[in-house]
């Protein structure tokens, strides 16, 4: 087992973890012993969160040193995958075997366990977040024992903020592989998109829109399954050359566009796994709202478009289908998500973020668990109908709080 000391940071460098040591075991038995003998410990994924969700004053442990297995059950249409694997690695293994996941996030660089724990998602009015594909997971309990948890019996244990135990493997729903063609449309008026939101975002398997909120226009990325009917909505200005979602960034970092069909895992993400999507010089926030509030949310942000643009790199609008996972930001409601990639300047971003939240909170905004917000923890928890049930689940799985941190305690004390 490798153990490192000294301060480490998240991917963006805006968070310095307080843990005195970070462990990286190479076997499940090593990990079980580490958990059993630790008074407090917490798992760390790829560090793509921008807040203190993964922080700890005690030791951290990474699970990407465990054997990177992908075990496919063809009869059950599931795959059991090692928790520390990145989605890009899982996708390649599934594609080779003729299978696919229904959805992927914008970045294939993120770990499966970390993405699931924080409710990360892709886009599509018919597509649920990544955690909804988890049929079961295996975690290490406080006493070092292995526990198998199923979503049907414990729907609160999937999106769990790392607070129930250290996850070693997840069983994911899979389906036969499919092909996707991606087309980008420029100069789509935001007001028109808001007024025809369901038509635009329901026009293909996965649809995203990028904007700076200044100028009143968006760039729409439409990802169509080639075995589905042609899109019912087409923008007036199809791009004639490949683009990057982030203005000014090279198109070579982005996945293939211009309607060229390819495997699902090479089209559903926006960024290619063999390129770092940026240097990490950014901050991020994201909010889930009821999809019925999409037009109102777009109009509200248009009112402060110039203010947002002053500290913004790009903003993305997506959709997520409702699910039944207690802490999923899409719990029991079809959602529109408003994502903000800010410049890396916390002092400049903070007052603008507060203005954004002031306009989105009355519409039912739930912040992404791994991104920046100034909303008080109690108010966040109050927006989840099963918050008290999850607090009880914490006491059942981890009565002494071995896996909790101040982030979790503030929410579910």
């Amino acid at each position: 087992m490798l153990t490192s000391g000294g301060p480490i940071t998240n991917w963006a460098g805006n968070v310095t973890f307080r843990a005195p040591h970070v462990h990286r075991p190479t076997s499940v038995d090593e990990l079980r012993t580490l958990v059993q003998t630790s008074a407090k410990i917490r798992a760390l994924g790829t560090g793509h969160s921008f807040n203190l969700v993964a922080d700890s004053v005690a030791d951290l442990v990474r699970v990407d040193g465990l054997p990177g297995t992908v075990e496919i059950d063809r009869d059950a249409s599931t795959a059991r995958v090692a928790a520390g694997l990145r989605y890009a690695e899982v996708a390649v293994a599934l594609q080779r075997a003729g299978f696919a996941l229904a959805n992927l996030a914008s970045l294939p660089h993120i770990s499966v366990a970390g993405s699931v724990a924080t409710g990360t998602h892709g886009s599509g009015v018919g597509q649920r977040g990544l955690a909804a594909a988890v049929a079961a997971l295996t975690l290490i309990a406080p006493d070092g024992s292995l526990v198998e948890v199923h979503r049907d019996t414990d729907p609160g244990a999937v999106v769990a903020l790392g607070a129930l135990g250290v996850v070693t493997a997840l069983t994911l729903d899979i389906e036969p592989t499919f092909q996707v063609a991606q087309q980008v449309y420029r100069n789509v008026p935001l007001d028109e998109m808001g007024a025809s939101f369901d038509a635009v975002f329901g026009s293909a398997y996965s649809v995203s829109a990028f904007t700076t909120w200044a100028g009143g226009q968006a760039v729409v990325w439409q990802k169509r399954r080639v075995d589905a009917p042609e899109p019912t909505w087409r923008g007036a200005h199809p791009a004639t050359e490949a683009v990057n979602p982030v203005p000014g960034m090279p198109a070579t970092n982005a996945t293939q566009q211009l309607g060229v069909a390819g495997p699902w895992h090479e089209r559903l993400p926006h960024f290619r796994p063999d390129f770092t999507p940026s240097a990490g010089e950014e901050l991020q926030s994201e909010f889930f709202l009821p999809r019925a509030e999409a037009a109102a949310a777009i109009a509200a942000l248009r009112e402060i478009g110039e203010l947002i643009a002053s500290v913004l790199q790009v903003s993305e609008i997506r959709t997520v289908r409702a699910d039944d996972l207690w802490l999923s930001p899409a719990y029991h409601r079809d959602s529109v998500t408003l994502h903000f990639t800010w410049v890396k300047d916390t002092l400049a971003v903070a007052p603008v973020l507060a203005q954004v939240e002031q306009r989105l909170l009355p519409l039912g905004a739930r912040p992404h668990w791994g991104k920046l917000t100034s909303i008080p923890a109690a108010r966040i928890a109050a927006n989840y109908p099963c918050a008290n049930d999850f607090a009880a689940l914490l006491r059942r799985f981890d009565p002494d709080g071995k896996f909790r941190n101040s982030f979790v305690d503030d929410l579910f004390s």
Side-chain angles (χ1 to χ4, degrees), residues 106-117:
S106 297
L107 301 181
H109 311 69
I110 51 182
S111 71
V112 177
S115 304
V116 164

Side-chain angles (χ1 to χ4, degrees), residues 244-284:
N244 190 296
V246 183
M249 294 293 290
T252 52
N253 295 20
T255 49
Q256 175 74 54
Q257 300 149 44
L258 302 176
V260 179
W264 59 282
H265 67 298
E266 295 179 0
R267 297 295 185 275
L268 291 181
H270 299 320
F271 299 99
R272 292 170 52 184
D274 48 339
F275 284 91
T276 302
S278 77
E281 295 299 314
E282 63 192 55
L283 304 173
Q284 292 184 12

Side-chain angles (χ1 to χ4, degrees), residues 17 54 72 74 78 89 114 122 130 148-149 160 174 179 187 216 261 297 300 310 359 375 402 404:
F17 297 112
I72 295 172
R74 294 178 178 271
T78 60
E89 297 168 312
L130 304 184
E148 189 86 4
V149 183
I174 59 175
Q179 297 257 312
N187 304 323
S310 69
R359 284 158 176 78
I375 303 172
K402 176 175 284 195
R404 298 201 285 275

Side-chain angles (χ1 to χ4, degrees), residues 80-313:
R80 179 179 167 86
V81 307
L85 286 176
R86 298 171 187 244
Y87 271 99
E89 297 168 312
V90 173
V92 169
L94 293 179
Q95 175 64 18
R96 285 174 179 165
F99 287 96
L101 297 170
N103 206 356
L104 286 173
S106 297
L107 301 181
H109 311 69
I110 51 182
S111 71
V112 177
S115 304
V116 164
T118 55
T120 299
H121 61 98
S123 187
V125 295
Q127 309 311 312
R128 297 176 299 174
L130 304 184
V134 178
L137 51 83
T138 302
L139 54 81
I140 299 178
D143 63 359
S145 62
L146 288 170
V147 178
E148 189 86 4
V149 183
H150 298 266
R151 69 177 169 214
D152 293 339
T153 54
D154 280 306
V158 181
V159 182
L161 311 181
L164 301 183
V166 179
V167 177
T168 62
L170 304 95
T171 301
L172 306 178
D173 296 331
I174 59 175
E175 62 183 80
T177 185
F178 55 91
Q179 297 257 312
V180 174
Q182 181 170 217
Q183 182 64 58
V184 174
Y185 296 95
R186 297 177 177 271
N187 304 323
V188 179
L190 280 170
D191 293 340
E192 176 186 314
M193 190 176 69
S196 305
F197 189 86
D198 288 343
V200 175
F201 282 81
S203 65
Y205 186 78
S206 176
V207 177
S208 297
F210 293 90
T211 182
T212 63
W213 296 106
Q217 293 185 333
V219 178
V220 173
W221 288 51
Q222 192 181 67
K223 302 168 189 273
R224 176 182 66 88
R225 283 185 63 145
V226 299
D227 57 356
E230 287 289 323
T232 54
W233 174 91
R234 293 178 182 274
H237 303 281
T240 56
E241 59 183 11
V243 298
N244 190 296
V246 183
M249 294 293 290
T252 52
N253 295 20
T255 49
Q256 175 74 54
Q257 300 149 44
L258 302 176
V260 179
W264 59 282
H265 67 298
E266 295 179 0
R267 297 295 185 275
L268 291 181
H270 299 320
F271 299 99
R272 292 170 52 184
D274 48 339
F275 284 91
T276 302
S278 77
E281 295 299 314
E282 63 192 55
L283 304 173
Q284 292 184 12
S285 301
E286 186 174 32
F287 303 92
F288 291 63
L289 289 80
R291 201 171 81 208
E293 300 290 355
I298 291 170
L301 295 179
R302 289 268 284 121
E303 294 176 357
I304 55 170
E306 295 294 336
L307 177 65
I308 294 172
S310 69
V311 291
L312 186 74
Q313 295 189 43

Side-chain angles (χ1 to χ4, degrees), residues 336-359:
V336 55
T337 68
L338 300 165
H339 182 278
F340 303 85
T341 298
W342 308 107
V343 299
K344 192 178 176 183
D345 185 339
T346 303
L347 290 178
V349 167
V352 180
L353 175 58
Q355 289 289 321
V356 168
E357 291 172 334
Q358 181 180 330
R359 284 158 176 78

Side-chain angles (χ1 to χ4, degrees), residues 1-2 4 8 22-28 30-31 43-48 60-69 81-87 89 109-114 166-169:
M1 177 165 57
L2 299 176
S4 59
I8 62 168
V22 179
H23 305 282
R24 191 170 181 261
T26 57
S27 72
V28 172
E30 276 187 340
L31 178 55
L44 176 66
T46 50
H48 277 79
L60 291 169
V61 61
R62 295 175 53 179
V63 296
D64 58 347
L66 302 180
T69 55
V81 307
L85 286 176
R86 298 171 187 244
Y87 271 99
E89 297 168 312
H109 311 69
I110 51 182
S111 71
V112 177
V166 179
V167 177
T168 62

